[in-house]
Amino acid sequence: GQQVMQIPQYQHVQEGEDFTTYCNSSTTLSNIQWYKQRPGGHPVFLIQLVKSGEVKKQKRLTFQFGEAKKNSSLHITATQTTDVGTYFCAGLSGGYNKLIFGAGTRLAVHP
Amino acid sequence: KAGVTQTPRYLIKTRGQQVTLSCSPISGHRSVSWYQQTPGQGLQFLFEYFSETQRNKGNFPGRFSGRQFSNSRSEMNVSTLELGDSALYLCASSLETSYDEQFFGPGTRLTVL
């Protein structure tokens, strides 16, 4: 079945350092969505990527969708303590009309 | 606009019992999906309902079932509870499809003793 792998599982950084999480799918994706879940909270939608090679930015966050539409990344520049949480990617492939979530990357930011 | 609401927020049950969880989607949203979140397994898709019909299903045993009402509200039921069913159950609503942004509720924390 469809699988979405996400690495790393956990990363801690010093405030001001950059952070990247990667998402890889076993199948070609129609789209990919990114969510953030704060500790004790629920996932909140960040962005959706649809086109091959697409790059989108939200302030310090940069999202990329691979050319083959099988991988994606989220990069945070100059992390802040407010970036703490777990970042999930979720992919949708043509043959499976359901979002498959990666296991998430838990980000800890030390001041 | 009110967000997705889930009731109850916390639940403690014993093995063998059954439980029903409720989800009210955002007004106008017709798709409701359910997920199980555990520390070891992440977010696992249970099922999706649209227009009172189950449109997609994850790889969970038949003890997990759900339904959707004409007002898009949804319930999920777990029968014959097992210890491993302890988890956070999240409901998410979207306008029409899984291609749309998912709005998650706060979840129901189920503990099975």
Side-chain angles (χ1 to χ4, degrees):
Chain A
Q2 181 190 7
Q3 283 191 317
V4 174
M5 310 299 290
Q6 196 173 349
I7 56 169
Q9 269 190 307
Y10 178 72
Q11 184 154 8
H12 55 101
V13 299
Q14 288 295 127
E15 192 172 19
E17 291 182 337
D18 292 356
F19 159 77
T20 305
T21 173
Y22 300 90
C23 197
N24 292 289
S25 170
S26 56
T27 59
T28 302
L29 300 170
S30 301
N31 71 2
I32 194 153
Q33 299 177 2
W34 285 91
Y35 292 80
K36 176 183 177 182
Q37 185 174 22
R38 293 182 187 273
H42 56 273
V44 174
F45 177 84
L46 292 176
I47 210 159
Q48 175 170 267
L49 304 171
V50 179
K51 298 176 187 174
S52 167
E54 190 169 14
V55 178
K56 286 189 177 180
K57 293 191 176 186
Q58 287 180 352
K59 297 183 182 177
R60 295 178 294 102
L61 277 60
T62 302
F63 304 84
Q64 292 191 356
F65 201 9
E67 294 290 340
K69 300 183 76 174
K70 282 188 168 185
N71 55 71
S72 181
S73 65
L74 156 60
H75 179 82
I76 301 178
T77 304
T79 54
Q80 300 175 357
T81 53
T82 52
D83 296 325
V84 163
T86 301
Y87 292 85
F88 293 95
C89 62
L92 194 70
S93 69
Y96 307 88
N97 284 319
K98 54 191 178 187
L99 270 179
I100 303 299
F101 278 78
T105 295
R106 194 166 125 224
L107 173 64
V109 180
H110 299 285
Chain B
K1 209 182 221 185
V4 178
T5 57
Q6 290 186 247
T7 56
R9 293 293 311 278
Y10 301 92
L11 210 45
I12 300 175
K13 292 285 187 179
T14 55
R15 277 181 298 173
Q17 288 187 307
Q18 76 161 27
V19 68
T20 300
L21 312 181
S22 180
C23 171
S24 292
I26 290 173
S27 176
H29 284 194
R30 297 169 66 192
S31 169
V32 175
S33 297
W34 288 89
Y35 297 86
Q36 180 193 67
Q37 186 173 32
T38 57
Q41 298 294 318
L43 273 160
Q44 301 289 310
F45 173 79
L46 280 154
F47 26 65
E48 181 207 2
Y49 285 88
F50 179 84
S51 290
E52 302 178 66
T53 301
Q54 188 181 88
R55 186 158 65 175
N56 284 299
K57 190 176 186 311
N59 298 322
F60 279 81
R63 299 186 297 108
F64 292 81
S65 63
R67 58 178 175 167
Q68 187 180 33
F69 302 95
S70 57
N71 61 358
S72 292
R73 191 176 71 83
S74 177
E75 287 181 349
M76 70 162 277
N77 185 76
V78 188
S79 63
T80 320
L81 284 166
E82 300 177 359
L83 295 178
D85 296 333
S86 295
L88 179 67
Y89 289 89
L90 291 160
C91 159
S93 76
S94 63
L95 276 171
E96 296 274 334
T97 71
S98 298
Y99 287 84
D100 301 313
E101 173 183 349
Q102 304 285 307
F103 292 82
F104 283 84
T108 295
R109 171 78 59 188
L110 172 64
T111 302
V112 182
L113 302 176

